[in-house]
Structures are given as structure tokens and as C-alpha cells.
Amino acid sequence: MKAPKVVYVCQQCGAQQPKWMGKCPDCGEWNSLVEDKSLSSTSGSAVRASAFRIKKPSAIAYEDIESQDDARQPCGIEEFDRVLGGGIVPGSLVLIGGDPGIGKSTLLTQVSDRLTAAYGKVLYVSGEESDRQIKLRGERLGIRPAGLFLLPETSLELIFEEIDRIEPRAIVVDSVQTVFSMKLESAPGSVSQVREVAGQFLMLAKNRGIAVFLIGHVTKEGAIAGPKTLEHIVDTVLYFEGERHHNHRIIRAVKNRFGAANEVGIFEMTSRGLIPVLNPSGLFLNERPLGVSGSVVTACMEGTRPLLVEIQALVTSTKYGTARRMTQGVDQNRVSLLLAMLEKRVGLNIMGEDVFVNVAGGISIDEPAVDLGIVLAIASSFKNRSVDERTAAFGEVGLAGEVRATSQASLRVRETYAMGFRKCIIPQGNLAGLEYDDGLEVVGVKNIADALEAIF
Ligand code: TYD
Ligand code: MG
């Protein structure tokens, strides 16, 4: 008899090696290879090869294929539907990742509740909590879903038996790392298990048109735990973001086969669960200090929606040899670059100062359009002169000190007006074709010197 072949699988990237090594040659992670006997047999790949083939395969004419958009089913939680691109698509596989305790189970309990009304039966599989715990959460949320079935189980085969029996229209798996297939020997949560479980749910979703939501754990670095291939398998990847000390939660679509990626939904965690925030700009501006130097409001785009945030800067003379630069919510390197630009292009003697930049409300922004807001906030703190509280600014800043045009200028400008601002400093290049309301004064600037003049 042939001895079973042993394969070593990297738990970080999923690469397979014929022998153990200290460092994965594929992703460079140390000590991540784990022996895996199950992968050496052909079982997994043979099953996967026939993933969509229940019937004999035959080509279909393009015009005969039913469009999926008619089938899109909004669940009624507006912000959640928005990230999904307008509703839940039957047969889609959605992966939701986020830090522990951020509210993944809470959100999906609320979604399940709404889905039972729209779809019929929904199955909530939990490998982390007992049915009573889930019910307790449901009672806290004040929901009484008729048609929601709870299944505290981690064996994939037993879960599938229950799916056959109950025939739900949507399934929530909380979490994909706790489920394991008895066909594989490796431990739950290992690369091969996660891949197998996700692969099986993919087949289920596609073959029967069931919407499947997989909850995923995240690693210390914030990526979804398990193989990167997991993100390739699923149709949609959502990340749950938020700070422990703030109540708002942001769901971001980083991949979506059925809608725009980078769309966000904003919620507030309350004692009765997650509540959609209908006016997010208001949420991030509501504790803004007025008449204080170093505070500037800027308009950024989150998905297809404009969002006003307050950029705060504090410039103090340095106590140590090297100046400190600390940022929260914006990229530190970007700030260093803007500081060097300020020194060189407008002669602000700032390189020897400690500079701290913060986005109020704990939100992170990685859009170049915040540059102008950052620069003006720093200048305001440095000069110790406050910016008029009804003035907002946005624009990308280049190394020559030029202010460059940004996308969606009209949307941003209109949002500032809607939020009560009366003056908006924007890139000159955005002036042409700009649509805005009469009560707003719009100032187009070419470079930083113009912007500083316009604001002080
Ligand atoms: P949970 O959904 O269990 O997080 P996850 O599944 O992502 O680990 O949410 C846990 C947190 O949410 C917990 O700290 C309590 C809080 N919470 C509320 O503030 N209000 C509520 O109505 C509920 C159900 C939870
Ligand atoms: Mg949970």
C-alpha cells in the first residue's frame, strides 16, 4: 500500500509545499506551514471540478440568460442594501469580516429578521453561540422573526443535512472559521478547511439560488483570516470598520460582483442594535468645536456618497531633537509630504514643529481630496488663527503646491451647502460646469498660497 503523501500548507496564503520549511517561499510568512494529509488525495479538487455541473453542461445563448437584477431583493435595511449594490442577489455568496465584538452577529441577526419577511425561511448557523444566546440577542434587538431557524452546529455535513430538511432561502454562517468538513483531517479554521467550507457553500448558493452570508474572522493586521483565495471565491466582500470607543460602524464593500466596490453603509450601535445613519455628515460634525484654530471641515467621498468630516491639526514646538508627526485617520506619509511642501512652497517654517493630525469621529480617510483640508488645518494651527466655521475646503495638493481637481466636485459642494456651510474652497480646475446652490460662495484656487489667502 502506498503511504499517504503529506503536503504542507501555509496558513497565511494557502500555498502548498512538499516539505516543511521555516518560511513560506510564497508569502514570506515565518512558521506558517502546517502538515495536511487531506490535501494529498484528490477528493477536494475532484468535487470542485464539477462545481456547477449538476446537469450536463450545454452552452446558452446570451440573450436567453435571465437578468439577475430583477431578482435583487432589498432587505429593508437601507444602508446594508446600499453596500450590496441595491439589495441581496439570490445565489450570491457574501463574506463579512471585522474585528471581534464589532457587531457582525448583531447586523446579520437584524438582516435575517428582515429577510424572513421578504424571502421566507432563513437559517442562521452559529458555531460560536448557542441558540439561547442568539435568541437573547434577538430579544434585545426587539425582533420576532417568524421563519428564522437557528442551528448551533459546526459540522459541514450536518449543516447541509439541515439545509436539505429546512430548505431556507437564505443562510447565515457565523463564522466560516468554526465550520469544518469531516472529510478533511485538518483542524477547523485551517486553510484547507476554510477553503473547503467556502467552496461547498458556493456550490450550494449557485446551484439552488440561496443567498449565503459567511461571517469571517480577521487577523491582527485586519485581513480576513484564512486563505486569500477565500476573497476570490465569494461574490462580495464586506468589511466592518469602527472604533471600539465610538458608536458608529462602517460597512465597506471591497469587492462586489453585483454593484460598486467601495460603497459604504454607516450605522450607529445602540442598545437596540445597529441603526442606519441617514445623515452621516451630521454625525461626524456634531461635536465640532467652533472658533478654534486647527479645525477645518472637508468633503470626501465614501462610495457614491459625499461625507463631511472635520480635520484637526495641532502644531506645537518640539521638545526633543526630532520633530514628531502623528496622525490618526489619515496617512502619516502623506502628512509628512504635505508638511515639506508647506515649508518649501509657502515658506511656513514648520519642519521643526511637532505636528499631530486627527480626523474627528475616528473615521479613516484615504482619499487625496482631503489634502487641502489637512494643509489648511495645519496652517491654521501653526498661525493660531481659526477658520470661519461656515467654510469648508477640499482638493488634492501636489508637491509643487498646486491644488488639483478632484472627482465628484458638484456632489461635495452641494453636501457642504446642505450641511449649512456658506463658503467652499475648491480646486480651480473644478469650477467649470460646477453645479451648486445660490447661497454658497465658491472660491476656486490654483495653489496653496491662494487657498491660504482665501481662508484667512
Ligand atoms: P456582536 O454582534 O456579538 O459582535 P461580533 O459578532 O462582530 O463579534 O456585537 C457585540 C457587541 O455589540 C457587544 O459588545 C455588545 C454590542 N451590542 C450593543 O451595543 N447593542 C445591541 O443591541 C447588541 C445586540 C450588541
Ligand atoms: Mg459574533
Side-chain angles (χ1 to χ4, degrees):
M1 205 179 97
K2 234 169 67 184
K5 217 175 89 206
V6 175
V7 180
Y8 293 86
V9 180
C10 171
Q11 300 299 301
Q12 192 73 26
C13 68
Q16 297 177 16
Q17 308 299 337
K19 62 181 201 315
W20 191 85
M21 278 175 259
K23 182 182 179 184
C24 170
D26 271 41
C27 69
E29 183 71 17
W30 287 94
N31 210 10
S32 64
L33 293 187
V34 170
E35 181 181 323
D36 199 329
K37 289 197 186 100
S38 51
L39 280 174
S40 45
S41 66
T42 52
S43 64
S45 49
V47 174
R48 229 166 283 127
S50 61
F52 300 105
R53 281 189 225 147
I54 303 191
K55 306 179 274 229
K56 200 167 153 277
S58 59
I60 310 169
Y62 180 79
E63 60 265 29
D64 292 345
I65 297 172
E66 241 179 272
S67 156
Q68 279 215 309
D69 233 26
D70 340 329
R72 215 182 260 277
Q73 180 72 255
C75 73
I77 301 177
E78 220 175 279
E79 294 293 293
F80 191 66
D81 288 334
R82 170 207 294 282
V83 257
L84 290 177
I88 293 154
V89 179
S92 63
L93 186 62
V94 180
L95 178 66
I96 299 161
D99 287 332
I102 198 151
K104 302 182 291 296
S105 308
T106 305
L107 177 70
L108 284 179
T109 312
Q110 289 178 274
V111 169
S112 310
D113 169 45
R114 297 299 188 95
L115 281 181
T116 54
Y119 262 116
K121 288 181 192 164
V122 175
L123 179 67
Y124 192 107
V125 180
S126 180
E128 301 187 343
E129 291 160 305
S130 69
D131 38 2
R132 309 193 68 154
Q133 269 176 297
I134 302 170
K135 172 128 197 205
L136 203 66
R137 173 184 292 122
E139 279 170 356
R140 212 175 137 184
L141 296 171
I143 56 171
R144 287 160 195 257
L148 177 64
F149 292 80
L150 304 181
L151 177 64
E153 179 55 62
T154 53
S155 156
L156 186 66
E157 286 73 20
L158 295 179
I159 292 169
F160 272 56
E161 273 175 30
E162 276 304 287
I163 293 172
D164 282 338
R165 195 175 69 82
I166 296 175
E167 297 189 338
R169 301 303 307 148
I171 303 172
V172 176
V173 181
D174 187 1
S175 62
V176 64
Q177 277 85 6
T178 55
V179 179
F180 69 97
S181 164
M182 288 189 264
K183 290 195 203 116
L184 305 185
E185 279 176 35
S186 43
S190 66
V191 166
S192 32
Q193 284 286 8
V194 171
R195 191 158 43 194
E196 174 70 13
V197 169
Q200 293 290 342
F201 275 109
L202 177 75
M203 275 188 255
L204 179 83
K206 301 298 167 198
N207 288 336
R208 303 201 201 168
I210 301 177
V212 180
F213 298 90
L214 302 176
I215 294 181
H217 292 170
V218 294
T219 59
K220 267 199 294 264
E221 292 77 33
I224 289 177
K228 195 73 191 162
T229 45
L230 188 56
E231 296 194 20
H232 293 295
I233 294 175
V234 301
D235 296 314
T236 303
V237 181
L238 306 180
Y239 272 96
F240 224 127
E241 301 168 5
E243 299 251 333
R244 199 163 286 274
H245 305 291
H246 289 98
N247 283 337
H248 66 264
R249 302 279 183 270
I250 296 175
I251 302 189
R252 197 181 294 275
V254 293
K255 163 184 174 180
N256 194 355
R257 289 191 184 138
F258 304 114
N262 272 327
E263 191 61 89
V264 299
I266 302 180
F267 292 89
E268 199 172 348
M269 180 63 99
T270 67
S271 58
R272 306 207 61 200
L274 289 157
I275 304 214
V277 174
L278 299 176
N279 176 8
S281 294
L283 175 75
F284 291 108
L285 292 183
N286 80 29
E287 283 174 87
R288 183 162 66 107
L290 302 179
V292 177
S293 67
S295 158
V296 172
V297 172
T298 188
C300 47
M301 294 299 294
E302 283 291 355
T304 51
R305 172 168 58 178
L307 179 68
L308 300 191
V309 292
E310 181 200 352
I311 309 277
Q312 301 181 321
L314 193 62
V315 179
T316 58
S317 56
T318 191
K319 294 281 179 297
Y320 304 99
T322 45
R324 289 207 294 165
R325 264 89 234 247
M326 279 171 70
T327 63
Q328 227 167 50
V330 288
D331 182 25
Q332 183 159 359
N333 294 328
R334 189 84 200 154
V335 171
S336 304
L337 195 136
L338 293 172
L339 284 171
M341 185 279 304
L342 267 176
E343 170 113 10
K344 180 86 178 173
R345 304 290 172 197
V346 281
L348 229 53
N349 192 7
I350 208 165
M351 288 315 268
E353 310 275 325
D354 285 345
V355 177
F356 307 91
V357 178
N358 176 36
V359 182
I363 184 171
S364 292
I365 296 173
D366 60 352
E367 210 203 358
V370 295
D371 289 354
L372 190 58
I374 297 174
V375 166
L376 293 177
I378 292 172
S380 159
S381 177
F382 180 72
K383 293 174 186 252
N384 208 9
R385 286 177 63 182
S386 67
V387 171
D388 174 48
E389 67 204 41
R390 300 221 283 177
T391 300
F394 65 85
E396 182 180 347
V397 177
L399 283 189
E402 82 278 19
V403 178
R404 294 162 174 254
T406 61
S407 60
Q408 314 274 21
S410 297
L411 273 178
R412 297 177 205 253
V413 166
R414 271 192 246 131
E415 177 77 357
T416 60
Y417 183 75
M419 291 307 297
F421 290 82
R422 290 298 170 259
K423 184 172 173 181
C424 201
I425 298 173
I426 71 165
Q428 177 110 49
N430 279 130
L431 279 181
L434 189 77
E435 291 163 29
Y436 58 96
D437 306 82
D438 284 340
L440 188 73
E441 182 193 348
V442 174
V443 185
V445 293
K446 263 213 183 82
N447 52 41
I448 286 299
D450 289 355
L452 288 174
E453 195 168 311
I455 206 153
F456 296 119

